Amino acid sequence: MSSSVGPTATPPAGPRAGAARAPRNKGWVSGMVLFAGVVMLVNGILEVFHGIMAIAEDDVFVSTPRYVFRFDLTGWGWIHLVIGALVALVGFFVIQGAAWARIAGIFLASLSLIGSFLALPYYPLWALVIIALDVFVIWALCVYRED
């Protein structure tokens, strides 16, 4: 009769006492955060241009008279300009690796997403592209964990 408790028993699988702990991040996650920072930087700059377009020339945008969320396009342009500048600035700090920038990036990308949703009737295709980019940025910044 043999017992599995003796010296021939196989030790349980798992990390050894002296072995280094495996990192929680894989390379692609860190790369995705870098990519999210670049997307934020570019998206912010494009939103600044979007805001300038709305401030300078209201007739560039489609006018929807019966839209529930109707705004003055000049005021709306200033909102896009400010949010875009903040997104670009925080995107720069996400690229630099600042931990606070990831939290601020999630918040600003959420604001940008809501703003783009509200701007759907004025510039629909552009708003959908920005919404998709903002969703990706939020996801990439949320899944990142420090090693």
Side-chain angles (χ1 to χ4, degrees), residues 16-81:
R16 294 182 204 150
R21 201 174 114 221
R24 291 170 29 186
N25 279 330
K26 305 229 183 306
W28 66 272
V29 175
S30 297
M32 287 296 197
V33 170
L34 176 64
F35 185 69
V38 172
V39 167
M40 286 178 68
L41 188 62
V42 172
N43 183 14
I45 292 169
L46 292 174
E47 282 297 304
V48 166
F49 291 147
H50 187 210
I52 291 170
M53 285 173 21
I55 293 166
E57 296 289 329
D58 284 356
D59 58 343
V60 171
F61 297 94
V62 175
S63 180
T64 307
R66 295 176 49 140
Y67 184 50
V68 173
F69 304 110
R70 188 174 25 205
F71 299 100
D72 173 47
L73 281 178
T74 303
W76 195 238
W78 280 105
I79 291 170
H80 276 276
L81 185 103

Side-chain angles (χ1 to χ4, degrees), residues 62-140:
V62 175
S63 180
T64 307
R66 295 176 49 140
Y67 184 50
V68 173
F69 304 110
R70 188 174 25 205
F71 299 100
D72 173 47
L73 281 178
T74 303
W76 195 238
W78 280 105
I79 291 170
H80 276 276
L81 185 103
V82 170
I83 290 176
L86 289 173
V87 167
L89 181 66
V90 170
F92 173 76
F93 285 106
V94 167
I95 292 169
Q96 297 296 316
W100 65 267
R102 287 192 302 273
I103 303 302
I106 292 167
F107 176 74
L108 288 173
S110 299
L111 279 181
S112 175
L113 189 147
I114 292 167
S116 293
F117 173 76
L118 294 174
L120 267 170
Y122 303 110
Y123 220 65
L125 184 59
W126 180 255
L128 290 174
V129 168
I130 297 302
I131 287 170
L133 290 174
D134 286 336
V135 166
F136 167 77
V137 166
I138 292 167
W139 172 80

